[in-house]
Amino acid sequence: MENIVSLGLENVVVAQTDLSLVDGQNGLLVYRNHWARDLALHHTFEEVAHLLWYGHLPDQAELAALQEKLSAQRELPAYVKTAIDAIPHDVDMMSALRTGLSLLGGPEFAAWPPTLGQVISLTAKVPTLVAYRYARIAGHAPIAPRTDLGHTANYLYMLKGEEPLAAHVRALDAYLILTQEHGLNASTFAGRVVASTRSDLISSITAALGALKGPLHGGAPSEVTEMIEAIGSKENAEPWMRSRLEAGDRLMGFGHRVYRTYDPRAKALSIIANELAGDDPWFELATHVEAVGLRLLQEFKPNRPLNTNVEFYAAAVMRAIGLPDSLFTPSFAVSRTVGWCAHILEAAAGRIIRPQSTYTGQMPE
Ligand code: ACO
């Protein structure tokens, strides 16, 4: 059989999934027969996680059962906290999170194939791990999780040490729902590759997290705020971005492998960010930077429609609710853990993923 070469695996289909449809031509995102945008507006983190893991939105009893299981498993094992405490403070949040997650792989997570029980326990602990490490770096005593708060409210509570504003919980919940799942993005693919070898859930999730960290994927939002801060003023937007594009650099928060039109998650988040930001001059500058960026990308890459992606407005929403840059990508991990787990459960029943490479080196004599 002839090999098909597709660098970056563009347009290659390697899985069938019931979880989501990413329609890049029309800018549509579906999670199991529901528009992701509607889920973000009208449902909670736990309801959408139930949809992805169990195949349907929960009734009241099912929701209560899932909430109880998640809230009961938020605490970290003591040995994980000790290990996190030993990590020097100049090690970045995502590296510490990767280490902490890999340490969760005790006997509870050893069973194959992965179970929904493992998935729930892991998902419950990711926000606690992020908040624990964040507190340690900030020099605060870590705040223990509460069992009376929802997943998102408890995450914000552990980060801020106070009961979060309802508007902030809603905004963060919408962001976390919109980023729970997104087809075979790089991190989900990495997780599925590991799961396809019949390795355990934690190994698969650790691989996915490593992929998410990269600035071309989940590492982009903090680079969006850095870009906007470096630009500093509306007048500087065009010269700054033009010089980057002339140097062959990428503008963060723009472009996507699949979307050939506006990323529907960015569209939904722009509305939320707009409501939260009020007359914040940073947000005004950000929308100006977006408009100039889109115009320049059209000029520099006329053959490839490059639009604003989810990371641009993820940065704006998280900034508006008072989360610092260091928490942007870890917060993305809090949500995407749900989709990674759903894919890993699917991939566990599939064939090992093993593509090929073309040898471009020399042959021995
Ligand atoms: N700024 C400048 N140029 C870009 C950008 C950008 N943001 N995105 C793509 N391009 C260029 C590419 O360099 C390429 O140029 P070339 O033809 O001269 O080589 C051309 O546009 C086409 O690129 P694509 O094939 O569309 O890009 P690809 O699918 O390989 O990469 C990616 C997609 C990684 C998202 C890219 O658009 C990018 O680097 N964007 C900036 C980082 C970012 O915001 N990432 C977050 C993505 S969303 C997410 O992961 C949750």
Side-chain angles (χ1 to χ4, degrees):
M1 206 172 30
E2 209 179 308
N3 286 336
I4 301 156
V5 179
S6 173
L7 298 184
L9 295 180
E10 183 162 15
N11 294 326
V12 174
V13 174
V14 299
Q16 290 179 314
T17 182
D18 292 337
L19 297 168
S20 65
L21 166 73
V22 183
D23 177 347
Q25 294 303 326
N26 299 302
L28 302 174
L29 177 58
V30 171
Y31 292 178
R32 288 194 190 272
N33 204 23
H34 297 265
W35 297 115
R37 179 203 54 212
D38 292 347
L39 293 168
L41 287 177
H42 305 301
H43 293 274
T44 63
F45 183 96
E46 289 91 330
E47 287 174 314
V48 181
H50 191 286
L51 171 69
L52 290 170
W53 294 338
Y54 293 87
H56 61 274
L57 283 170
D59 62 25
Q60 253 183 341
E62 288 169 328
L63 179 61
L66 179 59
Q67 281 168 332
E68 197 183 318
K69 283 184 200 156
L70 281 166
S71 61
Q73 298 190 75
R74 288 179 178 152
E75 278 291 354
L76 298 174
Y79 74 90
V80 173
K81 294 186 197 174
T82 308
I84 296 284
D85 290 346
I87 300 174
H89 283 194
D90 58 359
V91 172
D92 67 272
M93 284 288 301
M94 285 298 282
S95 298
L97 182 58
R98 192 186 55 218
T99 299
L101 276 181
S102 71
L103 286 169
L104 287 173
E108 178 193 359
F109 291 101
W112 175 267
T115 62
L116 277 165
Q118 292 176 348
V119 158
I120 293 168
S121 172
L122 170 68
T123 304
K125 290 176 178 64
V126 174
T128 320
L129 203 46
V130 173
Y132 188 89
R133 174 65 179 168
Y134 176 66
R136 282 294 188 229
I137 289 186
H140 310 143
I143 294 161
R146 273 171 49 179
T147 53
D148 61 325
L149 295 174
H151 196 75
T152 304
N154 174 62
Y155 177 47
L156 270 182
Y157 164 73
M158 290 189 296
L159 292 174
K160 296 196 169 203
E162 59 190 23
E163 192 97 17
L165 295 175
H168 287 181
V169 176
R170 258 328 289 157
L172 186 60
D173 217 32
Y175 163 69
L176 295 177
I177 290 169
L178 284 166
T179 50
Q180 275 188 9
E181 164 54 14
H182 207 237
L184 274 208
N185 56 85
S187 58
T188 302
F189 180 62
R192 281 189 80 124
V193 169
V194 176
S196 80
T197 71
R198 303 201 178 171
S199 187
D200 56 279
L201 176 71
I202 297 294
S203 300
S204 306
I205 292 287
T206 309
L209 191 89
L212 186 77
K213 181 175 189 264
L216 297 190
H217 187 16
S222 55
E223 306 220 4
V224 170
T225 54
E226 275 169 29
M227 174 178 76
I228 290 167
E229 258 124 55
I231 289 173
S233 69
K234 286 186 180 174
E235 305 71 60
N236 196 30
E238 172 140 5
W240 193 96
M241 293 168 108
R242 186 175 284 284
S243 75
R244 292 302 146 119
L245 289 170
E246 279 167 357
D249 290 348
R250 293 184 179 205
L251 300 180
M252 291 295 145
F254 297 93
H256 197 272
R257 170 60 61 79
V258 181
Y259 290 119
R260 292 291 153 251
T261 180
Y262 210 94
D263 180 337
R265 303 166 300 171
K267 199 177 259 179
L269 287 177
S270 73
I271 297 166
I272 294 166
N274 201 7
E275 279 167 12
L276 284 175
D279 51 10
D280 178 2
W282 185 92
F283 188 70
E284 211 186 310
L285 177 60
T287 51
H288 180 78
V289 166
E290 181 190 20
V292 173
L294 289 173
R295 177 164 52 76
L296 291 178
L297 284 168
Q298 223 170 13
E299 181 187 324
F300 278 79
K301 305 284 171 192
N303 300 323
R304 187 74 154 181
L306 295 169
N307 291 285
T308 318
N309 66 46
V310 67
E311 302 291 36
F312 193 92
Y313 280 103
V317 167
M318 285 191 270
R319 194 183 171 280
I321 57 180
L323 298 187
D325 289 19
S326 65
L327 287 171
F328 290 0
T329 309
S331 299
F332 193 172
V334 165
S335 64
R336 188 54 63 81
T337 298
V338 174
W340 290 335
C341 287
H343 275 274
I344 288 162
L345 293 172
E346 263 192 2
R351 199 173 174 206
I352 189 167
I353 298 174
R354 204 304 186 190
Q356 291 194 49
S357 50
T358 303
Y359 178 60
T360 55
Q362 291 186 335
M363 288 300 283
E365 293 290 315

